Amino acid sequence: MMEALQKFATHYNYFVTIFLMVAGLYIVIARGNMIKKLVGLSLFQTSVYLLYLSPGKIVGGTAPIYDGAYQVYANPLPHVLMLTAIVVGVATIALGLALAVRINEAYGTVEEDEIFSKDGEI
Amino acid sequence: MIDLQPHLPILQVVIPLLGSLLTAFIRRGTLSWLVTLIVTWTLPFIAVALFLQVQAAGAPIYYKLGNWEAPFGIVYKVDVLSAFMLCLVSGAAAVIMPFARKSVASEIDSHQQSWYYTMYLLCLAGLLGIIITNDAFNAFVFLEVSSLSTYVLIALGRHRRALVASYQYLIMGTIGATLYIIGVGLLYLLTGSLNFDDIAARLTSDLVWPLEPLLAALAFIFVGLSLKLALFPLHVWLPNAYAYAPSFATVFLAGTATKVAIYLLVRVMFEVFGVALTFDRLPVAEILIVLSVAAMFIASFSAVFEDNAKRMLAYSSVAQIGYITLGIGLFNQAGLTGAFAHVANHAVMKTALFLALGAAFYRIGSVRFSDLEGIGRRMPLTMGALVIAGIGLMGTPGTAGFISKWYLAMGALEAGSWLLVFLIVASSLISVIYVGKLVEVMWLRAPSPAAAEAKEAPLSMLVPLLLLAAATIYLGFDTRLTVDIGNQIATLLLGGLK
Amino acid sequence: MKLDLVLRVGTKILLPFILVFALYVQFHGDYGPGGGFQAGVIAAGMVILYAIIFGVNKAKHIVPQALVEAMIPLGVLIYAGTGTVSLLLGYNYLDYTGFAGDFLRAHEWGILIVELGVLVTVSGTMIAMFYAFAERGR
């Protein structure tokens, strides 16, 4: 019991990652509203950022800027990767929202079941 | 003059990227089309040059971006497999360009046409980038570059359903890509590397790796890429996306997009994880075979009951992807040969079929069966080519489709399963039904009011179509381009890291 | 439409500082945290703040739609063009060694130019997104 608690306390960032991942995926699957789906998708992507950034932190390390006074640095690579992933995520969400706006103009709603009832099951 | 020979790998990706920028500045439909034409017609030459270079060297070519050494910088790698895929994708993109001008001009608003070519070239650059890169994260970025531009290409369809189809594809595609990047993240946490070769080398080294996260990484990547390649039952985005996209987008995507996802999956499964880990520790082969067979039958049945020709062919695509993944799931020499022969053959045949439908749509503005009735008599050349490609799809001897199905059946025999051989033949019989339906509607019925006024498709649409129809026959007799290369790829994959 | 005096004057005072901060982040990017992406978003934030307070039409007088649409490909062109120039100088793509005699100096230049491209594209994209959503349905 104590051991499990200790494991949880020292790895809590991974549990948060898993929680975000599952919560985001659940929202995407369970909600019919297109905006809410995008929120879920965004949450899902956010969990990936956390997954990558967690191991980048090195205990006692400073920012990865070259300076003779410091020997231990945080790993800069995950940050670079996640900056790229964030850009991709922003682009995806922006495109998804743009589509939702266009769908709202074409159908007058962003609820999936109402859209299907207007056009027949597509 | 500097020697461009060593820089060919990067030019393959940068030329379409620069082309897309040029079209974004030009903003004139026809001129943008011309730029796109020049760019896409340059690319196959580079791809073939790379292919010959690889064949001559007998070893992969590497290209270091920014001259940074292998595991630290991004490296491009061209081997037989990627050179083959480069030739296929750039070739498909080049062949359909003449078709694009009139089709895009009639289906896309004039102020959006130039952006449309921008998106097309970006998508092409992304697909070529996925093929050529040797870096797991770089592959994700290219995957998203191509996907995001694909969503735009689809959303600009004429019917409002195109918006919904694009939205659904965006949700599914993003989940797929995110699952892929989670898998890559687990691999990175384990090995500390993102370079495919380097990860593979570290995994096969003497160090003992914890098995669970490794298998979890494989599972994440497998499911994520299966979404992208529309493996049954993760295919639900595909029929609508293909059916409601503008003709030109469908023609391009049907031949290339899913194939590139298959390529990436094969690369990760065989070269990074290795056959031993992929197939022995997880039941990947069994899953692939069962889902493939399900795709071959269920998607084919769905195709039979469609009344929209484009949707019918989209379902047929799902079924044909089933044949390819079946060959991969068999993971023996003949099966993999058949799979990659089918990647090429299916690209040729499906592109031809969608081109023919695109030409019909250009003339009558619909691809519903009720409007296509009797159109064969008005557009004999177009629909003749469609029939040839359709016969190829069924797998009739003397066409390209027969060759790949023959090798798939051989692979099934090699795996010792008569049942699979029977299933391959049986599912081909279903494709006879839906192709037969298409032919019956187009040739044997009296022309519908819409079809009665149609004329033969313009020359710019006919030439690529007839070229691909001829290729369907040609590849049915000359198997050097498909089977021999497929054989080399199979040897590479099976003989590689185990 | 009644406009709040505090907001209007406050915004006008803030604008130049936001821009200077964006440039600081941009040019400090090779020594410390920062770079083209962050700077681009901050610079775009300046335009967006202006548009929120004074209206999109006034913002479009300063940063017209055509300029924004040109900025997006222009930044990528700077980036991809830098790589192409290094190709033409006889080095690998995005290898900046040929830009100056000294290896480190050359790389500093290369990164600065590339980051400039990132700045242009990112700020262009952010403003374009804002315009697109703000314009819709009017």
Side-chain angles (χ1 to χ4, degrees), chain B residues 309 312-313 353 369 386 434-443:
Chain B
M312 188 193 89
L313 289 180
L353 285 166
F369 278 129
L386 179 132
Y434 62 74
V435 172
K437 186 177 157 191
L438 198 60
V439 173
E440 190 258 340
V441 165
M442 287 177 172
W443 286 94

Side-chain angles (χ1 to χ4, degrees), chain B residues 9-10 12-14 16 74-77 82 86 89 122-135 138-143 145-146 196 260 263-264:
Chain B
I10 188 71
Q12 184 88 69
V13 181
V14 165
I74 293 171
V75 174
Y76 284 2
K77 174 185 172 187
S82 45
L86 288 176
V89 172
L122 267 183
C123 184
L124 183 60
L127 293 176
L128 294 170
I130 298 171
I131 296 170
I132 209 167
T133 189
N134 197 24
D135 185 280
N138 199 225
F140 163 73
V141 174
F142 278 128
L143 194 67
V145 167
S146 66
F196 280 143
V260 172
Y263 160 85
L264 190 59

Side-chain angles (χ1 to χ4, degrees), chain A residues 34 45 52 55 75 81 106 119, chain B residues 160-161 167 181 185 188-189:
Chain A
M34 290 183 159
Q45 290 180 319
Y52 272 73
N75 184 356
L81 297 179
D119 257 352
Chain B
R160 62 180 179 176
R161 283 179 185 181
Y167 177 87
I181 201 64
Y188 174 66
L189 294 194

Side-chain angles (χ1 to χ4, degrees), chain B residues 341-360:
Chain B
H342 204 58
V343 165
N345 290 337
H346 178 242
V348 169
M349 297 183 296
K350 224 6 126 19
T351 307
L353 285 166
F354 277 119
L355 270 177
L357 286 185

Side-chain angles (χ1 to χ4, degrees), chain B residues 104-400:
Chain B
V104 170
S106 75
E107 287 182 46
I108 309 291
D109 290 344
S110 56
H111 69 282
Q112 285 173 334
Q113 284 171 18
S114 192
W115 288 118
Y116 202 71
Y117 290 115
T118 308
M119 289 300 148
Y120 169 64
L121 284 174
L122 267 183
C123 184
L124 183 60
L127 293 176
L128 294 170
I130 298 171
I131 296 170
I132 209 167
T133 189
N134 197 24
D135 185 280
F137 200 85
N138 199 225
F140 163 73
V141 174
F142 278 128
L143 194 67
E144 285 295 43
V145 167
S146 66
S147 302
L148 285 169
S149 39
T150 305
Y151 308 144
V152 179
L153 287 176
I154 292 168
L156 288 176
R158 279 202 117 36
H159 197 280
R160 62 180 179 176
R161 283 179 185 181
L163 295 168
V164 183
S166 172
Y167 177 87
Q168 286 176 330
Y169 184 18
L170 180 132
I171 297 284
M172 298 286 257
T174 307
I175 292 176
T178 309
L179 289 176
Y180 168 77
I181 201 64
I182 292 170
V184 170
L186 291 176
L187 270 183
Y188 174 66
L189 294 194
L190 270 176
T191 62
S193 182
L194 287 168
N195 182 298
F196 280 143
D197 286 354
D198 195 41
I199 297 174
R202 286 172 190 226
L203 286 182
T204 44
S205 67
D206 295 335
L207 291 168
V208 180
W209 301 98
L211 197 61
E212 288 87 359
L214 211 53
L215 294 183
L218 176 61
F220 270 116
I221 293 177
F222 179 69
V223 175
L225 290 179
S226 298
L227 259 167
K228 280 280 177 198
L229 65 83
L231 178 67
F232 185 89
L234 305 173
H235 69 280
V236 283
W237 57 268
L238 188 142
N240 288 325
Y242 282 14
Y244 299 113
S247 305
F248 178 58
T250 314
V251 166
F252 175 61
L253 297 174
T256 53
T258 48
K259 313 287 187 298
V260 172
I262 290 173
Y263 160 85
L264 190 59
L265 183 66
V266 166
R267 173 131 262 169
V268 173
M269 271 175 25
F270 284 84
E271 296 204 339
V272 177
F273 287 96
V275 174
L277 196 65
T278 306
F279 292 108
D280 295 349
R281 297 292 186 152
L282 277 186
V284 173
E286 287 81 353
I287 294 172
L288 264 181
I289 289 174
V290 169
L291 293 182
S292 305
V293 171
M296 281 151 52
F297 280 91
I298 299 175
S300 295
F301 272 121
S302 306
V304 172
F305 297 110
E306 265 306 324
D307 60 352
N308 177 324
K310 258 172 110 179
R311 252 173 87 97
M312 188 193 89
L313 289 180
Y315 271 116
S316 148
S317 273
V318 177
Q320 302 290 324
I321 289 164
Y323 290 109
I324 298 171
T325 47
L326 175 69
I328 295 165
L330 291 170
F331 73 97
N332 56 32
Q333 186 79 22
L336 280 170
T337 305
F340 280 96
H342 204 58
V343 165
N345 290 337
H346 178 242
V348 169
M349 297 183 296
K350 224 6 126 19
T351 307
L353 285 166
F354 277 119
L355 270 177
L357 286 185
F361 190 86
Y362 177 70
R363 282 299 186 210
I364 65 173
S366 167
V367 286
R368 303 193 76 80
F369 278 129
S370 51
D371 296 317
L372 287 174
E373 281 177 7
I375 199 170
R377 302 180 202 176
R378 296 286 179 271
M379 307 172 75
L381 285 173
T382 313
M383 294 308 147
L386 179 132
V387 171
I388 292 174
I391 289 173
L393 204 63
M394 294 189 287
T396 319
T399 61

